[in-house]
Amino acid sequence: MQRTAGAVFTADHAGAKPARQGLRRARRAASLALAAVLAGAILAAQPAWGLDPSRRLVQCLHRIWQLQQGLPQATIYAIRQTSDGYLWLGTPNGVARFDGVRFTVLRELGGISLEKIRVLALVEDAQQNLWLGTDGAGLICLAGADFRRPVKQLRQAEGLPADSIHALFADRRGDLWIGTTHGVARLHAGEVTVLHDGESLPPGTIRALGEAADGSIWIGGDGHRLGRWDGTRCVPHVLETLPAETTVRALLPAEGSGMWVGTSDGLVRTEGEREQRFAGNDGLADDYVYCLAAGSNDSLWIGTKAGFSRLHGGEFDSFLPQDGLSQSTVYALCEDREGSLWVGTKHGLNQFADRRTIPFTVREGLPSNDVGPLLQDTAGNIWVGTLGAGLAQYDGKTFQVLTTRDGLASNRIAALARGAANELWVGTDQGLNLLRAGAVAATYTTDQGLPASSVRAILRNSRGELWVGTSRGLARLDGDRFVVPGGDEGPARQPIHALAEHQGSLLIATTAGGGLYRYADDRFTALLGDAIAARDIDALYVDAEGLVWIGTQTAGLILVDDQRVTTFSPADGLYDDAIYGIAADEQGRLWMACSKGIFSVARADLLSFAAGRRSRLEYLPFTPTDGQRTIECRGDVQPAVWRMQDGRLWFATIHGLIVLDPHHLRIPLPPAPVVIEELIVNGTSRSPTDRAPMPRGANNISFRYAALSFRSPARLSFQYRLEGFDQDWVDAGTRREAIYTNLPPGRYRFRVLARNLEDRPSEAPAPVEFTLRPHFYQARWFLPLCLGAVGGAAWFGYRWRVRWIKSRLQAIATERSRIARELHDTLMQGFSGVTMEMQALLTRLPPSPNRDALQEIIGDAGNCLREARRSIAGLRSAPGQETGLAAALAQTARQLTDAAGLRLKLAVPHSPSRLPASVEYDLLRIAQEALVNAVKHAQASSIEVQLEYEPRAVR
């Protein structure tokens, strides 16, 4: 990392010779103020969240994306943030879009394959079209930056000077300027105009285009000659401070009507006939400048062949490959709307953003990362002790170091304490030093009465007494010598860890006995007893109300309040059990340095817990994702944390210093723009703006969305809602996709909300609206139709069943009638004849037992015939059919007349009551005989059968 003052070189058109350049180098210091003014070349509309110029670039939060992190191509030629918030990258194989988490590679645009096309330039016009300048494929336009829409391509056949484009620029009038390998062209209202003023234009390839404040267009390329188009003609402008073989790679408007010019031989500022040149020996990262970008806070960003630089306030601050840049050659620079700086190199994409904390290490000037105690003296100077590299003084910009060569007793410093005005006490492992006005004024060792030369704690109390704790006990400075209180025994002779003043008395933390003692009126009083192990105390802090807070190495935090001792441990919600330092801020929070990093707890919560009104603590941790480079603070030094006069807290860690401002724990950011990137239907991508109805059978629908915030994209939270299906918002956390399956047909509206670290919500401005068309079986008429069809089928089935049953019953009845007739005509007639013959035999027999037996047989035979007649009558009447004489008579009449082909007239009403079967049988046989005789012998053409019922007769 480099940070030096910038030098200024001037020249007029008469020429600048080496001798004159040497003279200008001699006036470098006098030109710093002028360079500060020149660095104000900032575009009119810049974000208000740029990198803090008071911080070094190496103190920024630096992220790198390479192939391992998902970057599609290692080399980045161009970076552009479009108005919708996306970051677009020009690469050797096309263009990629970045939303902070995902890279989307555009492999094809409207039938144009980008797989083998180098994209060298990117620009967005006033209509929000993104233009791609390619190497060999001409100019490609993405309409509205939506790669799903058809694209427009301009090539040499459409009027361009060449198909290889190295520079693109959109001016304030809406015209697009195109720099090619064979000249420059302007695209106005869809028409291409080529500038042919050859003597005024740079020769060869046009590599840089820019617009000055007065509206003139500047053109640069091969050679040190620039072209300035004033609207009617091109006027040449020769860079006199540069050799003729110089290549102009970048142009950026400066204050007034001048321009910043990035060249292969340094950075030049032009203003009329004057020129100022900056080179590597002025603090620029390298003489070869590839790109320029305007930054917020009056900063100018310069990308070079060996890193990049920021020019602010007349000073260069550079970030080099050895500082962690992905690669040395910087092709592209872009500052986004949140103030992050994006740097594209040959081997990766770099992001730089302000941390919530400020780190200090050897890269920022510390003599060693192995730091010890720190404090701010009464004059406002910040002092940092190291464990082997001496004592550093920070004046707000740089560190000045004192070592043993300057009189320190040792370079290993374990304790610091304020002295009188302009004094500082420094405790080392080889003695005690007094600094006055930044220089060593006195040294104290065992020769001056110290119990040991290894000093561990120092305290100058409100009465001006100086107390020193060493590895062998406690001592007080009395004149020029130290005296030990309490004689040769007791706490005064034990190793001391920490000292503090409390209500006029002295608190002493030792490694033996009770651990913590109060010294007052020449007496030592143990305060903790056996509450904790004596060796555990590492920090003492007395707050404004006189409460004593104790940090221990293994037992957490301890509160001593009027002899009441309360211990806070991780089991109670404390972040860590090893507390190395304690300080309070103005918001009522206690900040603690611990083995896991830095955390804070509200003092009121601690007191509520001690009083039994609270069962668990809540802490606010600062983890590595919050900007720390290490998670472990430094123990066994006094003090390990200090609140400065400006309210910021400084912490000593095992890898340098960490500074945080409790007033600005969160960096205010604008709400993140939310976009719905893609709609996927059954695995097929679809534009979210497509309002056409969904295809039938769209069972799987998913939405991919993003919030275009690049500061902490992984910590954004999302909510979504599908109106028409979801009753309320769905918390998605950090998930960037919503999936729905088996949605019912209907109209839907998908909405997305995002919340940033400030909990500021933002919603996608264009919800996705779509209609899910039903299948025929999902139509409203389908269910009634099915119900009607089922009902009709059931009715027809019922009717068929009834007819089938009737036909079966009719067949059964017919068969029964046939059987009845056959029985009547055969078996019963035979039995009747036998019975009649036995009757005749009976009349001829004389009275005798045989005659009586025959009489009984004839009776039994009669009974059997009657039973047979009843059975035959039952056969003639099928179950469930019409029964009785009327039905049998009608059936018999139909059978006889149908066989003879006679007309039949029936008048046979139903029987009002069932007659005995024998009577019905006899009547039916009588009617049957009558009908047979009428059919056979009457020679009739029609027969009428009439049946009448009377109360006591049947006619």
Side-chain angles (χ1 to χ4, degrees):
M1 193 282 300
Q2 298 177 351
R3 182 185 177 102
T4 61
V8 178
F9 294 80
T10 61
D12 54 24
H13 280 295
K17 305 302 180 182
R20 298 182 61 187
Q21 293 179 0
L23 180 61
R24 295 187 187 99
R25 290 191 180 93
R27 299 201 301 262
R28 179 178 305 166
S31 65
L32 292 179
L34 179 59
V37 175
L38 298 180
I42 306 300
L43 296 178
Q46 285 293 326
W49 296 276
L51 299 182
D52 186 352
S54 66
R55 301 187 184 187
R56 308 285 292 276
L57 289 176
V58 292
Q59 294 176 311
C60 294
L61 181 63
H62 179 205
R63 301 187 181 103
I64 299 177
W65 284 266
Q66 293 177 316
L67 297 178
Q68 301 90 324
Q69 289 77 35
L71 187 67
Q73 288 292 328
T75 301
I76 307 297
Y77 291 127
I79 306 174
R80 177 72 62 173
Q81 186 178 34
T82 50
S83 55
D84 57 7
Y86 282 108
L87 204 68
W88 291 82
L89 311 174
T91 75
N93 289 339
V95 66
R97 190 184 68 180
F98 186 44
D99 63 8
V101 175
R102 298 178 297 220
F103 291 92
T104 302
V105 181
L106 275 65
R107 305 188 184 280
E108 186 179 8
L109 289 173
I112 304 172
S113 176
L114 297 179
E115 290 287 345
K116 304 297 183 181
I117 296 178
R118 290 201 308 165
V119 176
L120 302 178
L122 296 170
V123 71
E124 185 181 26
D125 63 16
Q127 289 74 39
Q128 298 182 354
N129 299 315
L130 182 64
W131 294 86
L132 282 59
T134 72
D135 185 12
L139 188 63
I140 299 175
C141 174
L142 277 68
D146 188 351
F147 57 86
R148 294 180 180 85
R149 299 184 185 179
V151 300
K152 179 168 62 176
Q153 185 179 23
L154 296 178
R155 307 199 65 165
Q156 191 171 4
E158 285 80 24
L160 290 182
D163 284 338
S164 292
I165 298 172
H166 289 256
L168 287 176
F169 179 74
D171 64 19
R172 293 193 293 267
R173 294 177 292 274
D175 294 344
L176 185 67
W177 293 82
I178 308 153
T180 74
T181 54
H182 291 86
V184 63
R186 180 180 63 176
L187 180 63
H188 173 73
E191 295 184 1
V192 177
T193 302
V194 180
L195 274 64
H196 293 291
D197 197 349
E199 295 184 357
S200 301
L201 290 174
T205 301
I206 303 301
R207 304 181 185 275
L209 295 165
E211 183 178 15
D214 59 3
S216 60
I217 304 299
W218 288 68
I219 305 165
D222 296 338
H224 66 162
R225 186 177 68 199
L226 300 174
R228 186 174 62 87
W229 178 262
D230 61 6
T232 58
R233 64 191 182 93
C234 190
V235 179
H237 182 101
V238 178
L239 298 174
E240 298 291 348
T241 58
L242 301 176
E245 62 273 13
T246 298
T247 300
V248 175
R249 301 301 301 253
L251 291 167
L252 192 71
E255 189 180 42
S257 60
M259 293 292 291
W260 289 103
V261 185
T263 76
S264 60
D265 198 29
L267 175 68
V268 177
R269 163 64 159 87
T270 68
E271 178 65 38
E273 301 298 322
R274 300 184 58 202
E275 295 178 12
Q276 294 90 30
R277 178 176 173 271
F278 299 86
N281 57 358
D282 304 311
L284 197 62
D286 189 78
D287 285 354
Y288 201 113
V289 176
Y290 276 105
C291 56
L292 298 173
S296 343
N297 306 311
D298 295 335
S299 296
L300 175 68
W301 298 105
I302 309 110
T304 76
K305 197 173 183 178
F308 71 96
S309 301
R310 173 177 60 190
L311 178 60
H312 177 80
E315 289 186 344
F316 284 100
D317 186 13
S318 297
F319 196 93
L320 308 178
Q322 52 265 39
D323 298 318
L325 195 64
S326 63
Q327 197 270 340
S328 58
T329 304
V330 176
Y331 283 133
L333 293 165
C334 177
E335 189 174 284
D336 67 22
R337 60 190 295 271
E338 294 176 325
S340 294
L341 178 70
W342 296 88
V343 181
T345 72
K346 279 186 178 181
H347 197 62
L349 177 67
N350 301 258
Q351 181 191 14
F352 294 85
D354 280 338
R355 302 172 183 265
R356 294 196 290 168
T357 58
I358 304 174
F360 286 94
T361 63
V362 292
R363 297 199 300 178
E364 291 79 32
L366 272 178
S368 171
N369 289 334
D370 199 9
V371 297
L374 53 88
L375 59 72
Q376 187 175 30
D377 63 20
T378 55
N381 298 309
I382 297 174
W383 297 88
V384 181
T386 69
L387 303 181
L391 178 67
Q393 179 187 6
Y394 184 65
D395 60 6
K397 291 186 178 181
T398 60
F399 288 93
Q400 303 296 327
V401 183
L402 295 176
T403 65
T404 53
R405 291 187 302 239
D406 303 299
L408 285 182
S410 171
N411 288 331
R412 184 178 182 86
I413 299 168
L416 294 174
R418 287 177 171 179
N422 210 22
E423 289 185 349
L424 178 72
W425 291 95
V426 182
T428 76
D429 62 347
Q430 297 296 324
L432 177 69
N433 291 113
L434 171 63
L435 269 63
R436 187 175 293 117
V440 177
T443 301
Y444 299 88
T445 64
T446 54
D447 294 338
Q448 286 76 35
L450 283 176
S453 295
S454 179
V455 178
R456 296 184 174 182
I458 311 171
L459 172 69
R460 186 175 183 271
N461 63 19
S462 56
R463 295 191 296 271
E465 297 175 339
L466 183 70
W467 293 87
V468 178
T470 72
S471 59
R472 292 185 179 180
L474 178 69
R476 177 176 56 84
L477 183 62
D478 185 4
D480 293 332
R481 293 190 61 82
F482 283 91
V483 295
V484 177
D488 294 336
E489 301 294 335
R493 289 298 185 180
Q494 299 170 3
I496 307 299
H497 267 191
L499 299 172
E501 184 179 11
H502 179 245
Q503 298 176 353
S505 62
L506 182 66
L507 297 180
I508 308 161
T510 73
T511 59
L516 181 65
Y517 294 88
R518 181 191 303 276
Y519 179 73
D521 300 328
D522 296 328
R523 295 180 57 188
F524 290 94
T525 305
L527 296 183
L528 297 181
D530 297 330
I532 60 170
R535 63 181 179 277
D536 277 345
I537 296 179
D538 200 53
L540 294 175
Y541 173 73
V542 180
D543 65 18
E545 296 183 7
L547 300 180
V548 179
W549 302 90
I550 304 171
T552 71
Q553 294 183 359
T554 60
L557 179 69
I558 296 176
L559 168 64
V560 179
D561 180 13
D562 294 332
Q563 304 301 319
R564 185 181 66 180
V565 178
T566 305
T567 301
F568 310 90
S569 68
D572 306 315
L574 203 67
Y575 182 55
D576 194 15
D577 58 1
I579 309 299
Y580 303 144
I582 306 170
D585 63 16
E586 296 177 354
Q587 286 78 39
R589 300 187 69 87
L590 290 184
W591 289 85
M592 301 176 210
C594 67
S595 64
K596 293 169 61 177
I598 301 169
F599 73 100
S600 68
V601 182
R603 181 178 178 274
D605 291 350
L606 293 167
L607 296 180
S608 295
F609 183 91
R613 297 188 301 269
R614 190 182 185 94
S615 60
R616 191 163 182 83
L617 301 172
E618 294 182 1
Y619 59 83
L620 175 65
F622 267 67
T623 63
T625 57
D626 298 304
Q628 285 186 246
R629 298 183 183 178
T630 181
I631 60 173
E632 185 173 354
C633 290
R634 172 67 68 187
D636 292 324
V637 296
Q638 301 294 333
V641 56
W642 192 271
R643 193 180 93 181
M644 305 299 172
Q645 296 172 1
D646 58 5
R648 295 193 296 177
L649 299 172
W650 289 54
F651 295 84
T653 77
I654 64 173
H655 190 75
L657 301 172
I658 291 293
V659 180
L660 64 86
D661 188 350
H663 298 278
H664 302 92
L665 295 180
R666 293 185 175 181
I667 300 174
L669 295 174
V674 182
V675 293
I676 302 174
E677 296 182 329
E678 191 175 15
L679 172 61
I680 303 175
V681 181
N682 289 349
T684 302
S685 178
R686 176 171 172 162
S687 174
T689 59
D690 189 354
R691 295 292 187 266
M694 294 285 184
R696 291 183 175 90
N699 297 323
N700 297 298
I701 300 175
S702 59
F703 303 87
R704 296 182 67 181
Y705 49 83
L708 303 179
S709 174
F710 300 95
R711 185 63 68 92
S712 297
R715 301 181 67 180
L716 295 170
S717 60
F718 295 92
Q719 292 178 306
Y720 62 80
R721 181 182 182 186
L722 184 62
E723 295 180 352
F725 182 79
D726 293 325
Q727 298 298 319
D728 203 352
W729 290 93
V730 178
D731 289 323
T734 59
R735 181 164 47 89
R736 298 183 173 222
E737 186 175 20
I739 301 175
Y740 291 89
T741 58
N742 299 320
L743 288 173
R747 294 181 61 86
Y748 297 96
R749 191 167 180 259
F750 183 75
R751 300 168 59 192
V752 179
L753 276 174
R755 296 182 181 274
N756 61 10
L757 293 176
E758 302 297 313
D759 201 30
R760 299 174 65 180
S762 55
E763 183 176 356
V768 176
E769 299 180 2
F770 63 94
T771 301
L772 196 59
R773 293 186 296 176
H775 287 285
F776 70 92
Y777 55 79
Q778 294 175 312
R780 295 181 178 179
W781 49 263
F782 181 75
L783 182 59
L785 178 63
C786 290
L787 293 176
V790 171
W795 185 79
F796 283 113
Y798 169 76
R799 294 292 300 169
W800 177 84
R801 177 69 175 171
V802 169
R803 293 181 63 184
W804 181 79
I805 292 174
K806 284 184 176 181
S807 65
R808 294 291 296 169
L809 291 176
Q810 184 66 34
I812 293 172
T814 302
E815 182 66 15
R816 288 158 67 106
S817 297
R818 184 187 65 77
I819 294 172
R821 286 194 304 272
E822 290 180 355
L823 290 175
H824 177 269
D825 294 340
T826 57
L827 183 61
M828 290 188 63
Q829 291 294 340
F831 272 111
S832 297
V834 171
T835 303
M836 291 176 65
E837 290 179 356
M838 286 191 297
Q839 281 284 24
L841 178 61
L842 180 63
T843 58
R844 292 194 297 271
L845 290 176
S848 65
N850 293 332
R851 189 176 185 276
D852 294 337
L854 182 59
Q855 181 69 36
E856 291 179 3
I857 292 171
I858 293 172
D860 293 338
N863 292 333
C864 290
L865 285 174
R866 284 191 296 272
E867 290 296 330
R869 289 191 184 95
R870 282 194 294 270
S871 298
I872 291 172
L875 286 174
R876 291 180 181 277
S877 302
Q881 284 189 326
E882 262 185 41
T883 61
L885 178 61
L889 181 60
Q891 182 178 2
T892 302
R894 289 191 187 96
Q895 290 176 350
L896 292 174
T897 55
D898 288 345
L902 301 179
R903 213 170 40 245
L904 176 65
K905 181 178 180 181
L906 289 174
V908 286
H910 296 300
S911 173
S913 61
R914 179 177 289 276
L915 296 173
S918 58
V919 175
E920 286 187 349
Y921 176 76
D922 292 338
L923 290 175
L924 179 61
R925 299 312 298 169
I926 294 171
Q928 184 179 13
E929 290 297 330
L931 285 169
V932 169
N933 292 332
V935 169
K936 290 183 177 181
H937 306 295
Q939 296 181 351
S941 59
S942 65
I943 294 178
E944 181 178 352
V945 179
Q946 184 174 354
L947 177 65
E948 296 178 358
Y949 292 98
E950 294 182 3
R952 297 186 63 83
V954 176
R955 192 182 303 277

